[in-house]
Amino acid sequence: MTQPNNHGAGRDNAGNDTVDHTDTVDTVDHAALDEMVAATDSGPRHPGGAVGALLAWTALAWSAFQLWIASPLPYMFSDFVPVLNNTDTRSIHLAFGLALAYLAYPSFKSSPRARIPAQDWALAALGVCATMYLSVFAAQLSERPGLPTTVDLIIAPIGLALALEGARRSLGAPLMVIAGIFLLYVFFGHLAPEVIAWKGASYGKAMSHMWLTQEGVFGVALGVSTSMVFLFVLFGSLLERAGAGNYFIWVAFSLLGHMRGGPAKAAVVSSGLTGLVSGSSIANVVTTGTFTIPLMKRVGFPAEKAGAVEVASSTNGQLTPPVMGAAAFLMIEFVGISYIEVIKHAFLPAIIAYIALVYIVHLEACKAGLRGLPRPHARAWHQSLLVLAVNVCGIVILSGVCYYLFSGLKGFAGAYTFWISAAIILGVYVGLVAYSTRFPALGHSGRIDQLPLPGPVIKSGLYFLLPVVVLIWCLTVERLSPGLSAFYASILMIVILVTHKPLKAWVHQRATASPAAHNTVASPAQHNNDDSTDIGAQTVAGIVDLKEGMIAGARNMIGISVATACAGIILGTVTLTGIGLVMAEFVEFISAGNLMLMLIFTAVISLILGMGLPTTANYIVVSSLMAPVIVSVGAANGLIVPLIAVHLFVFYFGILADDTPPVGLAAYAAAAISGGDPIRTGIQGFTYDIRTAILPFLFIFNTELLLVGIESWLHLLLVVVSALAAMLLFAAATQQFFITRNRAWETVALLLISFTLFRPGFWMDQIHPPLETVDAGQIYEVVEAMPVNAQVRVQVIGETLEGDAVDKVVMLPLGAAAPGAQRLADAAGLELREEDGKWLVDSLTFGGAAERQHIDFDWEVAGIQRKAERPAKQWFFLPAVALLALVVYLQRRRRNALPATA
């Protein structure tokens, strides 16, 4: 199989023929782009000689350590090697992070980069000592909790100061400033405005809380970074080093490049696929943008729009399961659900956001009359549809076979299931590598005059999908922990990195040596005039790739480890001072209890903070302060807002900050490639991302978008179809183009249709209230009849100790099925008594749900709210579809009339 119309061909170091195109856009400063990525992700210092080797080996040791603690090996060899606990692993993790932060990141832009000054060596060593202090002296610290010694009180502030400075170097000043402000509040809270003032903490208590316990720096955030995030970042780095990122780009181009604005559509899909293995929007822009942006400009996209498409698709890459950046793993701890649940809830919004971006690109191409790149062989639409159907059916059948094969293994293989499964996977891998050598290897950048056929491109790298399949299998079928799942996927990725080049070389040797090869015309892959068939040389190349991939993975974790440490300062302040409750009351006051105002306020805070904070730190700050408030205000408005919905709301707006002018670094990276203006690129990218900004508001009010409350497959299908149609129509409205250019009333109509499809319940609420109030005397009957794990809305009336009257609706969990009084007592911590026809609070369980809702003794339960019986909200789809049909009819007639009036 040969590649048509290639501009220059060569061979990669595995001996495969490559398609190495060159582009007319030679103004891209790749060194500057690499510097930008290094400055934000991996550190710009790369000294040579022994110092550079020490830096590399330190990063390599960090990756090896993380693989070790994630594996079952420590427990298998516990007689010879001690099993490390949370204190040990978090201390070592942060020790590596801080040391590399001082060694890989210069203190200022003017600081030397080719060497490491003596003071940075000293600070790195001091950081290691301060963090390892907790591990080395763990036994002594456990014997005197809350009673720090003089040495403790010296080590703690040094560690905090080094963590803050490490954050400044690796992530910029904003995170250091915000964490510093929270730390100052701990000591000087009594000087703050009255609305947020607190008494202040003593020096000893603050230092012990922040550094010597797991309430501050070494708390949940750093624990997630240690146990989960590192493995996923390392997995992505190894996958990228093996060439999977480039493979995903070429697959997207081969499938979509022939369409209107094809390179832009391919940019969206390739960035989404790259998001599977990358949690960094800037790295995503640079990785895919150097390839996609010049091609978008070639087919007619202006520089700013080409850059904006890449920015919008790359920033949204963090929304794509299964990686989703570090914040997704923090949701597991904060929300208290499994990783599978996070993926399930995040999946539909991410997919419809990406499909809508592809559609926006299509509309831009239609408005400008753009075409795609030519294909060597054009297919009729019905042929393409048939091929797609066959492939989808094949994948479904193969998935079913794999599921029953590996599930059946457990029945008879027992303890040997793992090893048999590993042997099968390795056999499939070897077969796919051998199969891939029949097709030309893919180039890494450049100019395309004619698109390659999708078949050869896809088949040339099928083995890259195996680790992703293993990861998803371990997460979804085996239900292993995220860390262990990423460990197994990374181990397979290590095997691939080391072996795929020598395996290809061996296959080429066999093909060249076979008698049939001398009697037939050799394929391009069989012409090897270099050392590409030297198995030894290719083995060395694979080992080098493994080393570089593990080093890159560790360096990419520097900023995340330090960010989660500083986020621990913020979380520690919240738990120590109670500022979270104070801020909640303040925000509730200024929003007057209006949920929509509070959501807008939260979104603005996330965008502003996200301009200076990484997504992870932004998510921690805003979610820890705002999530409980939004849930409680939603309950007061009669709306059940799942905690995961609020956390995803904050997560989405934290990501959107990456392309929000004037700071959005992703826009600057895209502009450096396109040659456009970075501010205009960012503004255009943000307009494309309006569809992403609208989604969080919608899934707060319609949690079905998060697959919450789905009752059947038909219900699921209706939700998916209506949400997708709504998002596409919203995109058409915001782009002022549907079948042809919109008239003003048509744009309004499309927005109305989109809103109705997204939230049909809004219109039903205007006709028939969703809730009905039941007399308090029926509370036990209502509670007993409610389903398992439901929540009941209870109206309570009372008076606070300060004499303030209270009349509010609270939501109480009900847990398992039981008699009404028992359910309230067990799940909600609430016991009632009847007195003069009134139902009063008789007893509260300390720390129970009712007590946390600030219900007090002797308050009256005035009523219970329950769902009212009413028609299905989906009936409002009918008028929406009728209005859409009218818009389609009028626009089609207007479009068809254009040639006649031209």
Side-chain angles (χ1 to χ4, degrees), residues 16 36 60 71 76 89 103 116-117 125 147 165 196 204 356 368 371 542 628-629 665 690 709:
N16 297 320
M36 181 179 294
L60 186 64
S71 73
M76 296 169 63
T89 56
L103 299 180
I116 301 176
L147 298 172
E165 169 59 12
I196 60 169
R371 297 291 174 184
V629 193
L665 293 178
I690 289 175

Side-chain angles (χ1 to χ4, degrees), residues 632-707:
S632 62
V633 172
N637 284 269
L639 182 68
I640 298 177
V641 182
L643 196 56
I644 182 64
V646 183
H647 282 260
L648 282 173
F649 182 95
V650 174
F651 180 52
Y652 266 59
F653 279 99
I655 288 172
L656 287 175
D658 278 350
D659 63 358
T660 304
V663 181
L665 293 178
Y668 280 86
I673 299 170
S674 69
D677 179 80
I679 300 297
R680 290 174 60 189
T681 300
I683 293 172
Q684 185 68 56
F686 191 76
T687 61
Y688 291 155
D689 267 341
I690 289 175
R691 81 208 186 287
T692 307
I694 205 71
L695 268 175
F697 288 96
L698 292 168
F699 61 56
I700 288 289
F701 292 99
N702 182 9
T703 55
E704 290 177 348
L705 295 174
L706 301 178
L707 305 184

Side-chain angles (χ1 to χ4, degrees), residues 880-896:
V881 171
L883 181 57
L884 176 61
L886 176 63
V887 173
V888 169
Y889 170 74
L890 294 175
Q891 288 212 359
R892 284 175 64 89
R893 191 174 68 173
R894 195 159 69 247
R895 184 194 63 181
N896 294 337

Side-chain angles (χ1 to χ4, degrees), residues 727-779:
M727 183 54 74
L728 297 182
L729 294 173
F730 179 81
T734 56
Q735 292 301 304
Q736 299 289 309
F737 194 99
F738 186 28
I739 296 172
T740 185
R741 290 193 181 275
N742 298 344
R743 289 175 176 166
W745 76 268
E746 291 173 338
T747 296
V748 174
L750 290 174
L751 289 173
L752 183 62
I753 296 166
S754 176
F755 178 76
T756 303
L757 294 178
F758 265 130
R759 199 187 166 208
F762 175 83
W763 304 113
M764 184 60 73
D765 292 347
Q766 310 309 308
I767 298 173
H768 197 304
L771 301 173
E772 60 181 6
T773 301
V774 180
D775 183 78
Q778 301 180 40
I779 185 169

